[in-house]
Amino acid sequence: TPPSARVARSNNMPPPRKPPPVTPVYAHVHNVVLQYELARKAFVNGLNDLLAAGDPGQTDALLRAGVVNLLHAPLVQDANSGVQVAALAAMRTLTQDTEATGEEIAEPDALKKIVASLTHGKTAVAVAGCAALQALAEKRPEYAAAMIAEGALPPLRLLMASFDPDAKEAAARCLTAVAQAGEPHARSALDDGDGDALDLVTAASADPEASFS
């Protein structure tokens, strides 16, 4: 008899319990979750391939199938950053190529999710968010106004102060698009902006072809 068991009996205590068995790893559960992640990646990557073809009829069919809602409802805030980047890229292309997309993603619920991407921990997501918002601001002045109303300017200014050159350039391009949407928007972009933002937006107002490479 083990000493610990003898001591336990002498003290009228039950013998020590055996540790619980290790929970087995259910590989099939992991596979189901993995298949879901792979399906999301396949969807957004396949969508971007379709959009790259530049076929207006194909793009129209995608819109009629409700693809924009699929993008901004779950995928723009996906747990996988690669899915987020691809979803934002698709939204940017759809905004550039169609009128209906801008109307849909300029709505507050959708726009909030894109603005939220600007503060993501991964630069690639923030850069993709800037590009999607830039396309929106370039489409119509009222979309630029909607971006401002949803609080896009503060995180854009923070990105302008970033040490990451990709984030800084993407934010500069987005702020430029906002400033070029009209005088009221330019004033909003300039108000309380840091020096870099002021210089870039001012330069962009004077030169629509300004490049920040």
Side-chain angles (χ1 to χ4, degrees), residues 85 88 117-120 122-131 159 167 170:
V85 170
L88 288 163
S117 70
L118 302 179
T119 55
H120 195 278
K122 294 201 173 181
T123 299
V125 175
V127 168
C130 286
L159 289 172

Side-chain angles (χ1 to χ4, degrees), residues 59-211:
T59 300
D60 186 58
L62 286 168
L63 292 177
R64 289 199 307 273
V67 71
V68 177
N69 185 62
L70 290 175
L71 288 170
H72 77 67
L75 297 174
V76 164
Q77 293 185 312
D78 198 274
N80 183 292
S81 61
V83 173
Q84 281 187 271
V85 170
L88 288 163
M91 294 184 84
R92 180 199 66 220
T93 303
L94 284 166
T95 300
Q96 291 170 333
D97 293 349
T98 70
E99 293 296 330
T101 303
E103 293 174 2
E104 193 162 346
I105 66 172
E107 292 296 319
D109 285 347
L111 199 50
K112 282 177 185 175
K113 295 170 185 175
I114 304 176
V115 171
S117 70
L118 302 179
T119 55
H120 195 278
K122 294 201 173 181
T123 299
V125 175
V127 168
C130 286
L133 291 172
Q134 177 188 343
L136 194 63
E138 289 173 343
K139 200 73 175 180
R140 291 185 189 176
E142 53 264 40
Y143 296 162
M147 287 169 49
I148 294 169
E150 285 304 325
L153 295 184
L156 284 171
R157 290 179 183 132
L158 287 176
L159 289 172
M160 280 294 307
S162 168
F163 291 108
D164 188 295
D166 292 334
K168 186 184 287 286
E169 179 175 353
R173 291 182 183 280
C174 191
L175 282 168
T176 296
V178 172
Q180 291 175 344
E183 185 179 345
H185 308 91
R187 283 200 299 268
S188 296
L190 291 169
D191 284 348
D192 299 324
D194 61 32
D196 286 341
L198 288 170
D199 292 343
L200 287 165
V201 174
T202 301
S205 299
D207 180 7
E209 301 300 322
S211 174

